[in-house]
Amino acid sequence: MAVRLGDTAPDFEAPSTEGTISFHEWLGDSWGILFSHPKDFTPVCTTELGMVAKLKPEFDKRNVKAVGLSVDSVEDHNKWKGDIEETQGAALNYPLLADPDRTVANLYDMIHPNADNTLTVRSVFIIGPDKKVKLTLTYPASTGRNFDEILRVIDSLQLTADHKVATPVNWKDGDDCIVVPSISTEDAKKQFPKGVTEVKPYLRTTPQPNK
Ligand code: BEZ
């Protein structure tokens, strides 16, 4: 059964390169990103895992814990780690879950049999501190993900959670935001002291509240 937005992220206990992880307990009060890759010792995955290591300070700044997963073993993950550091210039600084019996992959519907019935696809789940799923993404094995986009989504999700604003098309940090439809323009003017522009009664913008 697919994991959908708003669902509680399925909890599990699984071995990782940093020991056994009880997922909900490991997340604690943090946001989380759980992402799967098809296979160890493959080129696209090597570049992705190196990039997530390089972006760790950005995840930390946002109170996000990252964890990767494939159906390989901890032993294979540990053997592959050296290649990631050597070729990507970044050592793995977050855990990689091992899921050879596919328990987690099945819980999160990460195996798409019409793509490949043995390997996980490139799935991403962003999970809020309430353990609810805030974003799901599914990419094919041949396309490396854009983790800058994932950080951008986290920024948008955190703005919505903290300030009740949405973000428009191609929004970047620092751009104007959109007042969510559930707030009247009158209330928005009180809530957003930097000002509210009413382009249409349903399209109101305000400068990014946390800048
Ligand atoms: C890769 O990570 O390079 C990859 C993995 C599985 C299929 C195709 C590419």
Side-chain angles (χ1 to χ4, degrees):
M1 169 91 172
V3 174
R4 294 185 174 167
L5 300 188
D7 289 353
T8 298
D11 197 14
F12 58 82
E13 195 171 274
S16 85
T17 49
E18 297 185 6
T20 301
I21 286 186
S22 294
F23 191 49
H24 282 195
E25 191 185 326
W26 177 81
L27 283 170
D29 295 330
S30 300
W31 289 69
I33 162 171
L34 168 64
F35 65 100
S36 58
H37 63 273
K39 201 164 171 46
D40 291 359
F41 302 102
T42 51
V44 177
C45 302
T46 303
T47 62
E48 286 191 326
L49 269 64
M51 181 52 70
V52 174
K54 285 183 195 156
L55 290 174
K56 175 118 183 348
E58 295 299 322
F59 288 118
D60 287 348
K61 232 174 15 190
R62 293 162 175 81
N63 189 30
V64 179
K65 288 184 173 176
V67 60
L69 174 144
S70 73
V71 295
D72 299 281
S73 64
V74 170
E75 277 162 15
D76 277 346
H77 287 342
N78 280 331
K79 282 187 209 144
W80 184 35
K81 267 161 71 167
D83 291 356
I84 295 169
E85 182 169 9
E86 179 192 326
T87 61
Q88 307 305 305
L92 217 63
N93 49 14
Y94 56 91
L96 268 191
L97 294 160
D99 192 33
D101 63 4
R102 306 182 194 178
T103 305
V104 182
N106 287 333
L107 267 178
Y108 280 83
D109 199 26
M110 291 165 164
I111 293 178
H112 295 209
N114 291 329
D116 188 310
N117 65 3
T118 57
L119 304 178
T120 42
V121 292
R122 295 187 198 283
S123 300
V124 182
F125 299 89
I126 296 177
I127 297 153
D130 57 1
K131 310 288 184 293
K132 301 285 185 202
V133 174
K134 308 293 183 187
L135 167 135
T136 66
L137 267 182
T138 307
Y139 270 44
S142 51
T143 304
R145 287 158 287 198
N146 183 335
F147 283 89
D148 288 335
E149 167 62 3
I150 289 165
L151 283 170
R152 191 189 76 93
V153 177
I154 291 167
D155 285 342
S156 172
L157 286 166
Q158 293 186 341
L159 274 170
T160 305
D162 297 341
H163 300 282
K164 295 199 171 61
V165 289
T167 55
V169 59
N170 290 352
W171 172 85
K172 299 180 304 303
D173 187 41
D175 288 352
D176 282 356
C177 297
I178 286 178
V179 176
V180 295
S182 58
I183 301 178
S184 69
T185 300
E186 193 188 337
D187 287 347
K189 286 179 178 161
K190 292 180 207 143
Q191 203 164 319
F192 301 110
K194 290 179 187 166
V196 172
T197 304
E198 191 179 81
V199 183
K200 290 279 178 194
Y202 59 85
L203 172 55
R204 293 86 38 90
T205 63
T206 187
Q208 186 171 324
N210 63 347
K211 285 286 167 187

